[in-house]
Amino acid sequence: MEYFPGITPIQYEGPDSKNPLAFKHYNPGEVVMGKSMAEHLRFSVCYWHTFKSLGADPFGPGTMIREYNNSSDPMKIAEMTMDAAFEFFTKLGAPFWCFHDRDIAPEADNLLETNKRLDHIVQIAKKKQDETGIKLLWGTTNMFSHRRFLAGASTNPSPAVYAYAASQVKKAMEVTHELGGAGYVFWGGREGYDTLLNTDMKRELDHLGAFMNMAVDYKKKIGFDGQFYIEPKPKEPTKHQYDFDAGSCYAFLQKYGLADQFKLNIEANHATLAGHTFHHELAYCAANGILGSVDANRGDLLLGWDTDQFPTDLYDTSLAMCIILQNGGFTTGGLNFDAKVRRQSIDPDDLFHAHIGGMDAFARGLKIAARILEEKPFGGFIQKRYAGWDEQLGADIENGKVGFEELEAYTLKNGEPAVQSGRQEMLENILNEYI
Ligand code: XLS
Ligand code: CA
Ligand code: CA
C-alpha cells in the first residue's frame, strides 16, 4: 500500500526551480567545507509529530485523516504507520529518524505485553532500516502521557512509579541498541513541579541524579555505545521543569558525576521558552564541550508556549550552523525536525512541504555559515577585542600568576584603562550582507 501517492522522491532542482516539492538549496551530495551537505546536516524525521499527532489541540480533536490510522486494531495501526513512515523517509531523502517507545507501539494491559508489542514493531522497523539504509538518530521513552506519570517519572513521589519508569527506560535503551541508534535522549517530560507546596525538590533532584546514573550503568552493561543526551526545556508540561536550560542541565550533570557521560540535545523552541536565543544555548554547549544534537524547530515570538513550528528563519539557521561548524560539526548528533504542521495543514503533502522547507532553511544556513567562516568578513573582530588577554597582563591573569594585590599595583601605575567600541551595528550590517 502506498500512503503518499503522487509523491515521487524529492529531488534537488536548484534555487531557480518553482517546484514546491523540490529542494532549492539542500543538495545532499554537494560538498561544503570538505563534507557533503548530507553528512553535515544529518537530517532526521520525528515519529511523534509527523505520524502520530493529527492536529489535536486543547480546543478540539485531530483534523488530519490518514490512511495509516484507519483501523480498529491498534497494532494494525502501528504496523501501517511504520510502513507509511519509511515510505515518507525514503521519498523525502531523510537519512535518520527518531521515536519514543510509545509512538511506535501502543501500551497493552501490562508491561510484559507492552514490551512484546514493542518487540514486534521493532523487528519491522529493523527490517525496514536494513532495506532502506535509513538509520536511527536516537530513541527515547514517553514517560509523560500515561496517567501513572502525572507527578513525573524518575522524580515521582512514589518509588513504584520510579521503578516503572526505570523498567521503561531499560527496555527503550535495549530496542534503541537493537536498532543501532546513534544516541538516546532524556527529555524531562513531567520531571519538575507545579507547586512547591507539595514538592520535595531536593529529594526529587537526588532521585533524578540516581536514575541517570543507573541508566549509565545499564548502558555499559548492554554495550550500548550511543551518546546519551539531556534535552533542556524550562516549562510545559510542568510550571517549572528541572532541566530548565543548558546551564541548569550542566550544573545537574556535574553535581551527580555525569558530565562525561552526557551531551545536550538543544531544541530551538525550548531555548526561546527559557528566555534565551537558540544561538545562545548552542554557544553555551559548545563552550562547555556538551553540544550533542539539535531539535530543529522554532517558536513564535508572540506566543508563550511550545509551538514546535518548522524552522524557516535564516538568521536562526545560519547562526546555529556557525556554532556547529566551529565546534567541528555533528558526530553522533544531527538535526531532528521536532516540529509539527499547523492544525489547518491537513493534507499528507503538507508533511513534505514542511520538511522540504526546514531542510532548505538549514542548507542555506550551512552555506551562509561556511562563507562566513571562510571569508571571515568580521576581520577577526572578536579575537582583536580580546587581544589584551594575549599580552603580558592578560596572560598573567589567565595563568593564575597574579592576584588582587598585583592587579591593584598595575592599576595604580597605569591609571585609567582605554575603552573600545563594541561596534554592534557594524557587525549586524556585515552579517546582513551574508543572509
Ligand atoms: C517536548 C520535547 C520532546 C522530546 C522527546 O517538548 O521536545 O518531544 O524531544 O521526548
Ligand atoms: Ca524536542
Ligand atoms: Ca518542543
Side-chain angles (χ1 to χ4, degrees), residues 92-104:
L92 180 65
F96 293 97
W97 65 301
C98 289
F99 70 89
H100 298 85
D101 48 3
R102 303 299 176 251
D103 302 334
I104 61 171

Side-chain angles (χ1 to χ4, degrees), residues 117-135:
R117 285 182 167 191
L118 189 56
D119 285 335
H120 172 72
I121 298 294
V122 163
Q123 287 316 311
I124 297 176
K126 197 174 178 187
K127 189 158 167 273
K128 288 186 175 291
Q129 287 193 159
D130 290 345
E131 283 163 10
T132 59
I134 290 159
K135 296 192 171 78

Side-chain angles (χ1 to χ4, degrees), residues 134-146:
I134 290 159
K135 296 192 171 78
L136 181 62
L137 190 67
W138 48 262
T140 187
T141 38
N142 176 331
M143 301 193 294
F144 43 87
S145 295
H146 194 282

Side-chain angles (χ1 to χ4, degrees), residues 48 100 138 140 144 185 187 231 233 267 270 295 306 338:
W48 51 102
H100 298 85
W138 48 262
T140 187
F144 43 87
V185 163
W187 165 62
E231 178 180 326
K233 184 175 185 178
E267 179 177 314
H270 297 178
D295 271 5
D306 193 18
D338 187 355

Side-chain angles (χ1 to χ4, degrees), residues 18 50 135 188 334 343 363 376 398:
K18 295 282 178 276
T50 300
K135 296 192 171 78
R343 193 167 186 266
K376 303 185 178 23
E398 285 192 349

Side-chain angles (χ1 to χ4, degrees), residues 162-223:
Y162 189 99
Y164 202 106
S167 320
Q168 202 177 319
V169 170
K170 173 179 175 289
K171 182 69 184 172
M173 279 171 59
E174 289 165 6
V175 304
T176 299
H177 184 36
E178 164 114 29
L179 290 170
Y184 189 90
V185 163
F186 294 85
W187 165 62
R190 294 180 194 273
E191 315 292 27
Y193 62 83
D194 294 322
T195 173
L196 288 172
L197 295 176
N198 65 16
T199 303
D200 185 337
M201 193 200 291
K202 165 145 182 27
R203 228 168 167 173
E204 292 199 357
L205 286 169
D206 286 347
H207 296 166
L208 184 61
F211 193 92
M212 295 303 192
N213 273 289
M214 287 185 218
V216 169
D217 290 345
Y218 193 63
K219 178 181 195 262
K220 291 180 184 154
K221 178 148 196 208
I222 62 174

Side-chain angles (χ1 to χ4, degrees), residues 287-324:
N288 290 290
I290 50 168
L291 177 52
S293 199
V294 167
D295 271 5
N297 64 9
R298 87 185 134 105
D300 184 307
L301 282 182
L302 303 183
L303 302 176
W305 65 89
D306 193 18
T307 62
D308 283 341
Q309 285 163 258
F310 276 83
T312 53
D313 185 313
L314 298 183
Y315 282 92
D316 267 358
T317 62
S318 303
L319 294 173
M321 288 315 301
C322 278
I323 303 280
I324 292 164

